[in-house]
């Protein structure tokens, strides 16, 4: 059995999908939360110089999305057919389209501009992304089950993470508080995912972090 | 010079249609993989002025889209990986696949950042973000790619494993074409190994031939 060591800051954003997968698959891993001093030492090493990093038996995988895919392939979070595999990738890429919004927000230091970005996101932006994501959900079982195939995949994990963790941190709110009243199917999906026993257990015991 | 190529017969293999504008952009890596594998595909190019007429072809309203026997796949990242897996350009195990992902995601981070400021009208803001992109982000990304190349083959072979992969083609397009054209950056000035690698990949016969005959577009 591989020895996994996940290295990241004491934060959710970027590393949390990995933790969700390990928890769901009951895979043992060291959830190493790196301090500022440790990070200063690591940055000085030649190599990737970024987190998260997944250490597997001494070898390293950098790049969050490379790690997501590796863990998903290894622990059954992709369907077994090629086309289903590609559909999961479509969801991953669609969720990724949201990244410029996150960067736009966090790179903005003027608090007034941040508020403007937040307001614009709630009033207009969010619907555009959520419409696209809900459309994808509808493609399988009319949107009453999981995003692709008959079991939880990386697609479900990333959408849950986006809506439960990422969007609320953008809005300065607690995880799981984003209002989905305009998107019934997504709302039901979030409830479904959150009530998976290993997920609700993790949500109950994970460290509380600002984002 | 012609080399003997096995072209897949459309009666036994899937029928591929790659839909995009007349640009290299987000479709060129896919086109090259088809060409390299000698697999036939319809290179469907839409005139941007007529986009409204063709928008129905795109499930998410964006291009590129890959049709496989009529089933549609949007998102260039998904398309690139699907084709890479189907045609044998995704490494030979999970570990190599993750290294290929690391290359593609590193370049992807740059392209996503580009999306943030490319359309900004306020020139002061745009210039500031462009400076950060070209002065900090791109060099950092190139350093990471260079590191991967060094780790794999001491810089003399492929980015991942011991045969050409999605990583090599994608990196070549970025370094050989995108960076000089869009950003006026010659990667080989600071990263000669990456420059050599890009040149090596561009010289592979099927890729070299495609570059010669493909429809012209600046981007």
């Amino acid at each position: 059995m591989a020895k996994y060591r996940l290295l990241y800051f004491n934060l959710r954003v970027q590393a949390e999908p990995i933790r969700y997968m390990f928890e769901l698959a009951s895979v043992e891993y060291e959830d190493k939360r790196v301090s500022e001093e440790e990070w200063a030492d690591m940055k000085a090493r030649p190599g990737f110089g970024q987190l998260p990093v997944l250490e597997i038996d001494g070898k390293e995988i950098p790049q969050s999305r490379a790690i997501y895919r590796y863990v998903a392939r290894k622990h059954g979070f992709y369907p077994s057919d090629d086309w289903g595999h590609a559909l999961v990738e479509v969801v991953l890429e669609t969720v990724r389209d949201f990244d410029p919004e996150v960067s736009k927000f966090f790179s903005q230091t003027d608090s007034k501009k941040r508020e403007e970005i937040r307001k614009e996101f709630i009033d207009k932006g969010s619907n555009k992304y959520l419409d696209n994501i809900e459309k994808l959900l509808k493609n399988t079982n009319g949107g009453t089950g999981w995003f692709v195939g008959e079991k939880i995949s990386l697609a479900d994990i990333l959408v849950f993470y986006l809506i439960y963790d990422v969007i609320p941190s953008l809005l300065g709110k607690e995880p799981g508080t984003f209002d989905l009243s305009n998107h019934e199917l997504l709302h039901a999906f979030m409830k479904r995912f959150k009530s998976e026993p290993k997920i609700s257990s993790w949500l109950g015991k994970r460290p509380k972090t600002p984002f | 010079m012609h080399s003997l190529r096995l072209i897949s017969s459309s009666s036994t293999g899937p029928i591929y249609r790659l839909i995009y504008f007349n640009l290299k952009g987000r479709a060129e890596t896919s086109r090259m993989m088809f060409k390299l594998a000698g697999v036939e595909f319809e290179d469907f190019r839409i005139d941007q002025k007529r986009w409204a007429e063709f928008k129905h072809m795109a499930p998410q309203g964006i291009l590129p889209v890959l049709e496989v026997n009529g089933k549609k796949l949007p998102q260039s990242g998904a398309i690139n990986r699907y084709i890479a897996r189907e045609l044998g350009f995704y490494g030979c195990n999970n570990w190599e696949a993750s290294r290929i992902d690391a290359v593609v995601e590193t370049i992807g981070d740059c392209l996503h950042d580009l999306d943030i400021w490319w359309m900004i009208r306020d020139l002061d803001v745009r210039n500031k973000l462009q400076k950060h992109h070209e002065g900090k982000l791109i060099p950092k990304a190139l350093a990471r790619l260079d590191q991967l190349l060094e780790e794999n083959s001491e810089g003399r072979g492929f980015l991942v494993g011991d045969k050409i992969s999605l990583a090599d083609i994608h990196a070549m397009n970025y370094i050989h074409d995108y960076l000089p054209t869009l950003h006026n950056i010659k990667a080989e000035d600071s990263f000669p190994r990456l420059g050599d690698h890009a040149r090596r990949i561009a010289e592979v016969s099927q890729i070299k031939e495609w570059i010669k005959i493909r429809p012209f577009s600046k981007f």
Side-chain angles (χ1 to χ4, degrees), chain A residues 27 61 96-97 99 120 195:
Chain A
V27 171
I61 302 179
R96 198 193 204 280
D97 279 349
D99 277 6
E120 166 139 16
S195 59

Side-chain angles (χ1 to χ4, degrees), chain A residues 47-48 50 59-61 63 65-66 69-70 73-74 82-83 85-86 89 93-94 96-97 100 103 135, chain B residues 59-60 71 74-75 77-78 81-82 85-86 94-95 97-99 101 105-106 108-109 112 116 144 147:
Chain A
F48 256 67
Q50 62 171 15
K59 293 194 293 193
E60 278 184 7
I61 302 179
Q63 275 288 354
R65 271 170 289 261
R69 288 179 171 99
Y70 180 89
R73 279 192 298 262
K74 254 325 224 270
D82 283 340
W83 191 254
H85 201 290
E89 294 290 334
E93 296 292 334
T94 305
R96 198 193 204 280
D97 279 349
S103 307
K135 237 166 98 175
Chain B
Q60 291 183 342
K71 290 194 296 191
Q75 295 285 359
R81 284 179 175 87
Y82 181 79
R85 275 195 307 273
E86 290 291 297
N94 209 5
W95 172 253
S98 74
R99 302 299 275 185
D101 283 334
E105 291 296 336
T106 298
D109 283 348
H112 263 66
I116 298 173
R144 287 176 188 151
Q147 173 86 13

Side-chain angles (χ1 to χ4, degrees), chain A residues 109-126:
Chain A
T109 44
D110 181 312
S111 58
K112 191 157 155 261
K113 293 243 171 78
R114 273 196 173 195
E115 274 316 304
E116 276 172 29
I117 296 178
R118 272 184 178 152
K119 192 163 183 300
E120 166 139 16
F121 179 73
I122 297 177
D123 291 345
K124 288 195 283 189
S126 62

Side-chain angles (χ1 to χ4, degrees), chain B residues 145-156 159 193:
Chain B
L145 296 180
D146 188 55
Q147 173 86 13
L148 270 168
L149 185 60
E150 221 259 324
E151 279 172 17
N152 189 46
S153 54
E154 284 147 23
R156 284 170 311 197
L159 275 164
R193 266 193 301 239

